[in-house]
Amino acid sequence: MIALNWFDVIPVATSVVFIFLVQVFNVYWHILTDDNAEDIEKITCLPVDTSATTPSSSLSSANVIANGNGKLEKQASILDTDSHEDEDTLSLENLFPCDQTEIYASKKISFIIDELIQTEVNYVANLRKGLSNYGKLQDCEHLPDGLRGEERQKQLLSNISEILELHEREILPLMLRNQRDLKGLFDEFAAHFEKNHLYCYVTFTMGKKSSMQLRQEHREWLQNYQTSIKDKLGIDSFLVQPIQRLTRYPLLLQQFISEFYKSGISCKPVLSAVCKLETRLRRQLDVVNQAEEIPNIDELNEFDLLQQGHFRRATEFEAQHFPTRKKYRAKVFLFDRCLVCTEVRKRRLAYRQHYNWEHVELQRPLELATSNATKTITLLVKLDKGGGKREEYSFVAAEASVVKQWLQATHKIIEIARYEYARRDTFSLPMDLVLGVGLSIWLIWQYL
């Protein structure tokens, strides 16, 4: 038996009480931040008295994303079925492992999986070789001045080293260790999208234009350098591989799904996992393609798009700017910190305005608020004086489905903003640190 006395119990009890008080404080602080997060939640469309807006609009507002209490329970009224169209089917069949033997018995499916893994091996090897060829140009004696310096090197190759690191340390190893567990392979791959690890492809695409311009300016020197190192493909072929690889993933998965159905295989957990991954890849590819237009935005002056957080989506609308009564074809870019409006002018985009999320609301026509047929969104801006609002923009999409997808993307940004706001200034201690301190106090008390 271990004899305990009050001197042994008090330090441990004090530590437990301290941990409990920290957690209670965190919960209390979280409730306060939810109540004070009204500025962040003004993104959403709450019912607004139309008399507070300019008379130029006959639209009244309807709840788009949040209800009047600033909660997100009623988002399904707009986002409904498409919000989780790619999630795993909630059935018992997907909760338990299935026999994957019949999958590997199909020669065509086995060939597709082998191609997926082998091309990944080749992709990593090609990126590694390309970086060894062009990643150390600063060591060349006769390097042109226009290619000298770390900034020029980054402009030339963008973040391709980050892409190589992701695939070399994460993607390729997960494929190799899950060769006989396809559900594990697809689920682990999809988890990287949830963690936004493949955003590096968006960053790479945003730097594509400046890289091409720099290569064009020094084309002759780069060709001579290519000959000197006996590189058969060249830097252009090297730098096009990331986008080619990202495009190849969904094509291979579509082949896998097609053969899965043709073979009559009944392993639904694997099918659900591969469909989820294929959807994630297609969505990521859409964002990457849209990001290619960001460098085409002119007239930014001192506004830096790179400081606005992650790029999420670009959508084209017919826009009307109420203060100037100007109508034009617009492309609206969604970033984590703001919404950017541009005017489409042939092959370029002219910057017009940007609005931080905490200063805007989005509205739809009241008569269409409960349906999915609306093509119109009204953007309102908070006024500093009096707490009122004014109508700023009316966006009209070509199809109602475009509006729905745009609102889904906006909703995700809202959730991120609310989470970051709730986490701000939260006092929290790691549990292992607290327990370690408690144990140290007990040992000191026991033996001193």
Side-chain angles (χ1 to χ4, degrees), residues 215-256:
R215 280 177 272 154
Q216 189 62 35
E217 292 172 1
H218 302 88
R219 177 65 60 193
E220 183 178 355
W221 186 90
L222 288 171
Q223 289 177 346
N224 293 334
Y225 177 76
Q226 175 186 343
T227 303
S228 67
I229 63 174
K230 299 180 181 180
D231 180 19
K232 296 180 180 180
L233 298 179
I235 190 171
D236 291 338
S237 297
F238 165 52
L239 292 177
V240 80
Q241 289 189 50
I243 304 304
Q244 288 179 339
R245 183 56 181 168
L246 192 64
T247 306
R248 184 64 177 159
Y249 285 131
L251 295 178
L252 287 172
L253 294 182
Q254 287 170 6
Q255 293 177 19
F256 178 93

Side-chain angles (χ1 to χ4, degrees), residues 203-333:
T203 304
F204 179 80
T205 303
M206 291 170 63
K208 178 180 175 181
K209 182 178 180 179
S210 60
S211 175
M212 292 178 63
Q213 291 175 345
L214 190 61
R215 280 177 272 154
Q216 189 62 35
E217 292 172 1
H218 302 88
R219 177 65 60 193
E220 183 178 355
W221 186 90
L222 288 171
Q223 289 177 346
N224 293 334
Y225 177 76
Q226 175 186 343
T227 303
S228 67
I229 63 174
K230 299 180 181 180
D231 180 19
K232 296 180 180 180
L233 298 179
I235 190 171
D236 291 338
S237 297
F238 165 52
L239 292 177
V240 80
Q241 289 189 50
I243 304 304
Q244 288 179 339
R245 183 56 181 168
L246 192 64
T247 306
R248 184 64 177 159
Y249 285 131
L251 295 178
L252 287 172
L253 294 182
Q254 287 170 6
Q255 293 177 19
F256 178 93
I257 295 170
S258 177
E259 290 299 328
F260 198 97
Y261 279 111
K262 290 179 181 179
S263 303
I265 299 172
S266 60
C267 189
K268 291 187 177 180
V270 172
L271 179 61
S272 177
V274 69
C275 289
K276 178 179 178 180
L277 175 59
E278 193 267 343
T279 302
R280 294 282 196 274
L281 282 163
R282 282 192 290 105
R283 289 181 177 177
Q284 183 70 21
L285 191 57
D286 287 342
V287 175
V288 169
N289 291 332
Q290 293 166 5
E292 194 170 357
E293 296 183 291
I294 293 177
N296 296 330
I297 302 177
D298 296 333
E299 305 176 19
L300 285 169
N301 298 325
E302 296 181 357
F303 182 64
D304 189 358
L305 291 174
L306 298 179
Q307 300 301 318
Q308 307 310 313
H310 287 169
F311 166 68
R312 299 297 178 179
R313 193 178 191 84
T315 307
E316 192 166 307
F317 296 100
E318 291 296 328
Q320 179 180 3
H321 188 224
F322 290 124
T324 61
R325 298 183 180 180
K326 183 178 180 181
K327 295 182 179 180
Y328 54 85
R329 193 157 58 99
K331 183 152 286 189
V332 181
F333 294 82

Side-chain angles (χ1 to χ4, degrees), residues 46-54 57 59-62 361 363 380 388-391:
L46 308 181
V48 180
D49 184 3
T50 54
S51 61
T53 62
T54 58
S57 173
L59 303 180
S60 58
S61 62
E361 293 182 17
Q363 296 181 346
L380 283 80
K389 311 171 188 68
R390 77 162 186 266
E391 288 184 343

